[in-house]
Amino acid sequence: MADTLERVKKIIVDRLGVEESKVTLEASFKEDLGADSLDVVELVMELEDEFDMEISDEDAEKITTVGEVVAYIESHK
Amino acid sequence: MLAGKTALVTGASRGIGRAIALRLAEAGANVVVNYAGSEAAAAETVAKVKELGREAIMIRANVANAEEVNEMFKEALERFGTIDILVNNAGITRDNLLMRMKEEEWDEVIATNLKGVFNCLKAATRPMMKQRSGKIINITSVVGVLGNPGQANYVAAKAGVIGLTKTAARELASRGITVNAVAPGFIDTDMTATLPEDVKASMLGQIPLGRLGQADDIAGVVLFLASDAANYMTGQTLHVDGGMYM
């Protein structure tokens, strides 16, 4: 869990150029981290590569916060 | 000009698609030759690309089928690692007067000529977004702008491609991907060869430059859009029709 969060955090910080301290489990990609729709699509693509998994479009659409991403990855590993 | 780049050209076995594949190869690109049915012709395109000293593979896929398109991109990426240039050229005609046009004729043309472009755009977007660059060129038609009796399905699809080009251009601009269209006029290919002589004669009368276009006339403009010379252009439709549409 901690490891997953760290890896997710790193990708978000790299991709969105935000302060690491802002990337909390509750943070919303669009509202708190300034991501637009295309950024979210790209994040999902990078997470798929990082964790070697596929996130379906349907599932990706439901993910809005950092915590939800981490939980999704944990439950699909 | 395109050394080290990979281009995927749909409908590249014959006609305009083949001319585009060869022109891009001449400029240095390796080419993925997509075809739907004409296997022998596709093999000939591949052989000609190789004669130019570039790599080429042929992949059979019906662009109207998303699954086949995704498989094609997977195979192309496995072989070449990237897709830098996508040319959506595959197209069919099922001409008929509106009153007589069958539902299947409408559906088939929309599926290949419009949905086919959507399927390939979608599949190409992922690798291109990752590499933060890409050139997409959609082949539309002068009739998509002017209309043409007997081609309601084809015209609707080609006009749709122009709108799709603009939307994709806006969505992907921030990721360094340009999306433009080329609108050929009447080009001397298998597709236009079957037209009756009187239709051809009346077409010629509408072309200020006074001749049918050659596939290579289109390929040259596609090469321009695929090159760095066109880096600051996106969402545009270039008309290559001897002056029919001004």
Side-chain angles (χ1 to χ4, degrees):
Chain A
M1 171 81 186
D3 170 58
T4 302
L5 176 61
E6 284 314 307
R7 286 160 74 188
V8 169
K9 252 190 192 173
K10 184 173 182 316
I11 288 175
I12 294 171
V13 168
D14 284 351
R15 172 58 61 203
L16 301 178
V18 292
E19 296 279 330
E20 201 180 327
S21 59
K22 282 195 162 180
V23 187
T24 60
L25 285 175
E26 297 75 35
S28 150
F29 289 108
K30 290 191 178 166
E31 269 137 53
D32 303 316
L33 302 175
D36 64 18
S37 317
L38 209 51
D39 289 324
V40 175
V41 172
E42 280 190 316
L43 272 176
V44 168
M45 274 167 29
E46 281 197 42
L47 292 166
E48 287 179 334
D49 290 343
E50 172 74 22
F51 293 95
D52 195 23
M53 61 192 295
E54 276 199 35
I55 305 175
S56 71
D57 290 345
E58 290 74 26
D59 288 339
E61 278 166 23
K62 289 183 207 136
I63 294 173
T64 60
T65 67
V66 176
E68 284 166 10
V69 164
V70 174
Y72 184 91
I73 293 168
E74 286 293 318
S75 65
H76 287 79
K77 267 209 279 204
Chain B
M1 199 167 12
L2 302 177
K5 308 247 182 201
T6 304
L8 189 155
V9 184
T10 68
S13 59
R14 293 180 291 153
I16 294 174
R18 174 186 281 181
I20 291 168
L22 295 182
R23 192 57 91 83
L24 296 179
E26 236 172 55
N30 297 321
V31 185
V32 180
V33 174
N34 159 261
Y35 69 104
S38 329
E39 193 169 342
E44 211 175 298
T45 306
V46 167
K48 283 173 188 267
V49 170
K50 288 185 173 165
E51 272 170 37
L52 293 165
R54 313 296 168 209
E55 296 295 315
I57 55 170
M58 54 194 269
I59 304 179
R60 183 186 197 126
N62 173 6
V63 293
N65 182 313
E67 232 170 89
E68 290 184 28
V69 167
N70 292 338
E71 279 302 311
M72 168 170 72
F73 275 81
K74 214 173 127 193
E75 195 180 328
L77 283 167
E78 272 166 18
R79 173 65 181 77
F80 290 112
T82 64
I83 293 167
D84 307 286
I85 300 157
L86 165 66
V87 183
N88 285 307
N89 164 80
I92 57 169
T93 53
R94 298 282 184 272
D95 297 352
N96 217 336
L97 290 172
L98 202 46
M99 282 185 63
R100 295 180 191 274
M101 187 171 288
K102 295 179 191 70
E103 193 179 352
E104 302 87 71
E105 291 171 335
W106 172 268
D107 288 345
E108 277 176 36
V109 169
I110 298 293
T112 298
N113 297 14
L114 182 56
K115 189 181 171 194
V117 177
F118 164 74
N119 285 338
C120 292
L121 268 175
K122 202 174 161 189
T125 300
R126 186 185 176 105
M128 286 183 177
M129 269 172 69
K130 277 196 182 168
Q131 66 195 33
R132 284 280 186 276
S133 69
K135 304 269 190 198
I136 298 173
I137 297 116
N138 299 324
I139 306 301
T140 172
S141 168
V142 65
V143 302
V145 179
L146 295 179
N148 199 28
Q151 289 200 302
N153 47 7
Y154 188 81
V155 169
K158 291 300 188 181
V161 167
I162 293 175
L164 181 55
T165 299
K166 293 178 187 178
T167 294
R170 286 187 191 276
E171 278 192 21
L172 301 173
S174 65
R175 298 316 192 254
I177 302 167
T178 65
V179 189
N180 291 289
V182 173
F186 289 111
I187 308 299
D188 192 7
T189 64
D190 294 349
M191 194 185 266
T192 51
T194 53
L195 293 169
E197 280 310 315
D198 57 324
V199 175
K200 276 194 201 168
S202 91
M203 270 167 27
L204 269 179
Q206 303 166 42
I207 305 173
L209 286 179
R211 65 171 176 89
L212 289 186
Q214 297 301 313
D216 227 25
D217 291 323
I218 305 306
V221 177
V222 171
L223 171 61
F224 161 68
L225 288 172
S227 76
D228 287 345
N231 278 353
Y232 198 54
M233 284 179 68
T234 195
Q236 303 304 307
T237 299
L238 294 184
H239 293 269
V240 188
D241 57 15
M244 288 178 71
Y245 172 79
M246 295 186 187

